[in-house]
Amino acid sequence: MVANKPISFSDRQNMDNDILSNAILLKVKRLTAASGQMSLPCIPSMIDEYMDQFDRILKSLGQQFTQEEMTALRELVARKLAEGYNQSPHSRIIFKYEPPDPTQGLTSGLKLSVLTEILSVEQKYQRWLTSRQGPLFGSHADAKLMDVVKEFNPPSSAPILDVGAGVGRNTLALARRGHPVDAVELTPEFAQIIAKEAQENQLRVRVIQSNILNPSLQLPQKSYQLVLVSEVISHFRNNQDVRILLGRMCNAIKPGGLLLFNTFLTDPGYEPDNRARELSQVQWSYLITRSEFNSIMAGLPLEILSDESVYEYERSHLPSESWPPTGWFENWSQGRDVFPINNPPISLRWILCRVN
């Protein structure tokens, strides 16, 4: 039988020091408060990356959640991401953490909450009016548009429909040229700006505040010499709505009239995954593959006259003092708001069609 070895004074002192040190650390942990939040775009296919970020935050604060707890958190995040994205691509998911009992600091764990902030296109544009300086969409009309309408003489006999007119940079330029213009605009504040400017300058402009896809919106049939749809399809969410829009425009244009629109198209051979598709909607850059575009156009009475890069055309034809139209236009029109690299596989294209 071996007798227990007596604990030396130095060993006992080390043990006591460890106990005391751990006690101090525990007390400091009780006195440490941690709270914060992360705000992320609602992109459902990014859930793995989001969960990794949340996990790193929790571990950096000394919090160890069980596998069951993390699974429940993932299910909640997935549900909130889907809810937010389905309501609006501009929704945000808010991940919050805070101590359940502030007096206990980090020793009582963290209370987690996951919320969504829903923001519509109209609300985002309303914020622009109070948060952005200078012309919201540029001070000059689209160069491609102004080149196309040169063939319409006299302008007074060539009525034009401007869909998604914004604050009127194209509408007002066309009206000053002498065209009768109908302007459809979704955001009420933008529509009011156009109406006020047109009234003050006695321009032939009729402003229609509405969503162009609203079934109750009645447009004159076979009445317009040209319909412009600039920087509108980039806000869309599915190809069916794009086809509905183009079909309605065909009905509104006179036989032989023109449809000018722009949309983000992918490079040949590029097939976007779900993350790219979802992010393109978040970034107002709704992308369409070339095969999807062909399916959208199939059966419509449209003959494509030209298919050109918006960035290249506008840069070459706008007055030098008007380039770039805005601080965001160059990156956005080249697809860099989705792919911040030198040669993104998407770009904004001008599509000019004749209605047969």
Side-chain angles (χ1 to χ4, degrees), residues 40-332:
L40 301 148
C42 283
I43 303 178
S45 59
M46 292 289 291
I47 187 170
D48 289 340
E49 289 79 3
Y50 288 1
M51 289 302 300
D52 285 344
Q53 292 185 64
F54 300 158
D55 186 51
R56 288 196 297 271
I57 289 175
L58 298 175
K59 286 180 177 177
S60 71
L61 296 172
Q63 305 299 307
Q64 296 292 331
F65 285 78
T66 66
Q67 185 61 47
E68 291 76 15
E69 289 171 327
M70 292 304 293
T71 298
L73 176 61
R74 182 187 179 90
E75 291 173 353
L76 175 60
V77 171
R79 185 169 70 253
K80 291 295 185 180
L81 284 173
E83 288 174 0
Y85 180 77
N86 290 337
Q87 290 189 59
S88 170
H90 312 301
S91 299
R92 309 283 295 184
I93 185 170
I94 313 296
F95 175 71
K96 293 185 176 182
Y97 54 92
E98 58 187 343
D101 182 355
T103 65
Q104 296 300 311
L106 291 175
T107 57
S108 57
L110 287 173
K111 180 177 72 174
L112 307 180
S113 58
V114 181
L115 311 169
T116 51
E117 179 186 55
I118 310 299
L119 198 64
S120 67
V121 173
E122 302 98 300
Q123 289 170 324
K124 287 207 73 171
Y125 275 144
Q126 286 165 355
R127 289 187 179 182
W128 277 28
L129 287 172
T130 57
S131 63
R132 301 211 171 194
Q133 302 294 323
L136 297 182
F137 303 99
S139 58
H140 197 281
D142 288 321
K144 179 64 177 177
L145 167 68
M146 300 313 290
D147 286 345
V148 168
V149 298
K150 287 178 181 177
E151 70 176 72
F152 298 148
N153 286 303
S156 59
S157 64
I160 295 175
L161 173 64
D162 184 5
V163 176
V167 292
R169 65 188 177 89
N170 287 316
T171 291
L172 299 172
L174 291 168
R176 291 188 182 101
R177 189 175 184 273
H179 295 278
V181 184
D182 285 351
V184 177
E185 173 50 45
L186 176 64
T187 305
E189 289 83 355
F190 289 1
Q192 292 167 11
I193 290 172
I194 300 173
K196 181 175 182 293
E197 184 76 16
Q199 183 178 23
E200 290 177 352
N201 291 276
Q202 299 182 329
L203 298 174
R204 296 177 64 186
V205 173
R206 181 170 69 116
V207 180
I208 306 167
Q209 194 272 303
S210 177
N211 186 329
I212 191 62
L213 295 177
N214 186 345
S216 64
L217 173 62
Q218 299 296 317
L219 295 172
Q221 300 296 289
K222 309 300 180 184
S223 298
Y224 300 103
Q225 192 66 45
L226 178 140
V227 168
L228 171 70
V229 185
S230 181
E231 301 179 15
V232 172
I233 297 175
S234 55
H235 294 299
F236 278 27
R237 307 206 65 188
N238 61 76
N239 291 341
Q240 181 181 1
D241 283 347
V242 178
R243 183 174 173 84
I244 291 172
L245 168 70
L246 298 183
R248 294 193 74 181
M249 299 305 95
C250 289
N251 292 333
I253 299 171
K254 296 177 180 179
L258 300 176
L259 171 62
L260 176 64
F261 65 96
N262 53 39
T263 187
F264 280 93
L265 295 178
T266 63
D267 290 350
Y270 169 65
E271 186 59 41
D273 59 15
N274 287 338
R275 293 191 303 175
R277 289 185 180 275
E278 291 168 4
L279 182 58
S280 75
Q281 294 188 32
V282 172
Q283 292 299 104
W284 289 346
S285 306
Y286 178 69
L287 61 84
I288 300 172
T289 67
R290 284 287 176 173
S291 61
E292 290 169 343
F293 181 69
N294 292 337
S295 296
I296 290 169
M297 298 288 284
L300 294 176
L302 293 172
E303 174 192 357
I304 297 178
L305 303 179
S306 62
D307 176 345
E308 302 165 286
S309 162
V310 171
Y311 169 78
E312 295 294 347
Y313 194 96
E314 298 301 308
R315 185 182 63 170
S316 300
H317 294 81
L318 277 176
S320 58
E321 66 273 12
S322 297
W323 181 260
T326 66
W328 47 264
F329 183 84
E330 290 183 279
N331 283 332
W332 174 73

